[in-house]
Each structure stands twice: as structure tokens, then as C-alpha cells.
Amino acid sequence: GDAISGHHFVGPVYRAFAGLCRADGLRCVQMTVLPDEDGSGLRPLLAQCAGVILAECVSDALAETVRAAGIPCVLMSTRRHGFRTVLCDNEGGIADAVAALASQGHTTIGYIGGTGAFWNQRARLTGFRHAMTAQGLSPDCCVPDSGSWGASGGEAAMASLLREFPEMTAVVTANHALAVGAARAAQAADRRCAIIGFGSPDGICVSHDGVARELYRALCCERDAPYRDAATVLCEAVCVYGADEKTKG
């Protein structure tokens, strides 16, 4: 439970989702499972569920256990064949960030990723590479997998990029905490660097309430017709970096 409620993205989405459930007279229960959990020990609990949201790094075996039980299920921040899915527009958000930086004259733009086990991380890395290529820029200034989603990982990765690419003037990071760490490293090295974090309030923003509403809509659809329409919903990711400057101009 604490791992969910304290998560920078899943936590606020869960709280908004739980509020939607309460408004319809439903009870929402959160649970953290290990990545290798196959669901066999959860069958008594699952049997009491009207629907299930599976988020991020759950195993294929757990997802199949839920489907085999006929329980309506929606995936969040991950994808599997045959499941209805809600994702944030990782590639679109990163592309907007790279375009914003390129429009300001940055030509060596770095990227700091989280950990590769997560769908969002892989999609954001792919988005960075595609966006840089589309701008005619090299995507090589990159730490694809920092091994962390925390500020310490961002700090170490940024220090490495600053050493290897002294010409770098901007960085995009896979989440807000990595951006915080990157800013610390830039300050320690006395380097000026534009930094845009995915999920940062002044970077790439995704509405927690909006994701929660799409999850609830998707689960309602699944309850009407479980596993019949494996649709995917993309929630908008908006780059607000530099918005104030544009308004002033």
C-alpha cells in the first residue's frame, strides 16, 4: 500500500480513481505485488473483485490469472495482447520537449532514463531517439538506463553526461526526481543547462485526474464486455517548458 500511495505518479492517480469509485458506491483496495507474482495465492481476493487495475511491472502470469477468472481488467502504464490499456503519451510528450529545446537553439540535448523494466521508460527512450532524429540531431548524448528513478540516479547520470559531452546544453529526463538530481549535478559542476523532466510541474505534465477518469471509463467498459475490445487510450502529455516565455513574446 505505501509503495502505491507514495509513488509520484501512481499515488495521485490511485487517489483520484478511488474517489470515482466511492462516488459510485464502490470500494477501492490497493495492493503491491512482487514482479514474479503469478496470482495463484490471490484467487480468493480476486473472486471478490468487480474489476482490477494492473499497473506497471506485473507478471504475464498474474495478468493471465485475472483473465482466466473472467474478472474485468484494465492495464495502466503497460501493454499486453488482449487487454484494454490506459497509457500516457510518452513519445508525444518527449517529442514536444525536444522540439521546445531545439527551437531555443539547443543542438546537443541529453537524455537520462529510469530503469528499463518499465514500459514508460522504454517508450520515453524510444520517443527521445525518434524526436532527436526528426530534428536532425544526434541521440547519442544519452544514459538510456540510469538504474534508478530517484534524484541520486539523475545526479550520477548527469555528472557522467557532463564529462562525456561538455557541449551539452539541455537534458530531458524520464521523471521529475531524475530532473532534480540532474539539476544538482549541473549546479555542482557550475554548468548552465536547460532541464525538462517528465512529470515535472514545469516540464512534461500528465493530468493525474485525467488518467484516473480514463481508467474508470475503461474499467466500466470492461465490466460490460470483459476482454471483448482490447482498446488502448493515450492520455495527453503536455510540455509546458518555456510556456511563460511564449506568453510574454
Side-chain angles (χ1 to χ4, degrees), residues 82-100:
F83 285 82
R84 194 179 292 267
T85 303
V86 175
L87 304 169
C88 60
D89 186 5
N90 293 294
E91 295 195 31
I94 294 289
D96 285 349
V98 169

Side-chain angles (χ1 to χ4, degrees), residues 1-244:
D2 289 343
I4 294 174
S5 59
H7 192 276
H8 69 281
F9 181 73
V10 178
V13 169
Y14 168 77
R15 288 188 287 274
F17 179 82
L20 294 171
C21 289
R22 285 194 298 272
D24 274 354
L26 300 171
R27 181 186 176 203
C28 191
V29 177
Q30 58 176 310
M31 177 179 292
T32 303
V33 298
L34 296 174
D36 60 353
E37 171 63 60
D38 65 4
S40 57
L42 301 176
R43 288 192 178 98
L45 174 62
L46 292 173
Q48 302 176 53
C49 294
V52 174
I53 303 291
L54 295 179
E56 299 194 325
C57 288
V58 296
S59 69
D60 290 338
L62 174 55
E64 290 306 320
T65 295
V66 173
R67 175 156 54 182
I71 301 167
C73 178
V74 173
L75 304 183
M76 171 185 164
S77 297
T78 189
R79 297 189 74 173
R80 282 182 177 81
H81 179 73
F83 285 82
R84 194 179 292 267
T85 303
V86 175
L87 304 169
C88 60
D89 186 5
N90 293 294
E91 295 195 31
I94 294 289
D96 285 349
V98 169
L101 292 169
S103 72
Q104 293 181 354
H106 297 283
T107 56
T108 303
I109 302 170
Y111 177 79
I112 298 174
T115 56
F118 292 84
W119 172 272
N120 283 338
Q121 152 63 5
R122 297 192 297 272
R124 290 168 196 176
L125 175 60
T126 297
F128 172 76
R129 288 171 170 162
H130 287 171
M132 291 292 284
T133 301
Q135 293 290 336
L137 302 174
S138 169
D140 293 342
C141 182
C142 179
V143 177
D145 187 337
S146 69
S148 169
W149 287 103
S152 60
E155 193 167 1
M158 183 67 166
S160 175
L161 287 177
L162 290 170
R163 288 191 299 270
E164 187 174 355
F165 300 92
E167 72 279 16
M168 181 182 71
T169 58
V171 170
V172 180
T173 69
N175 78 347
H176 177 58
L178 291 168
V180 171
R184 289 178 189 164
Q187 184 177 22
D190 195 25
R191 289 281 299 278
R192 289 177 59 85
C193 194
I195 300 172
I196 300 180
F198 205 109
S200 296
D202 56 353
I204 304 167
C205 298
V206 179
S207 167
H208 301 131
D209 290 346
V211 173
R213 285 192 296 271
E214 293 300 341
L215 284 169
Y216 194 72
R217 289 190 188 107
L219 192 56
C220 288
C221 290
E222 280 301 293
R223 291 176 66 187
D224 291 339
Y227 304 102
R228 188 173 300 173
D229 300 305
T232 296
V233 174
L234 276 183
C235 297
E236 190 175 30
V238 179
C239 180
V240 299
Y241 178 84
D244 291 342

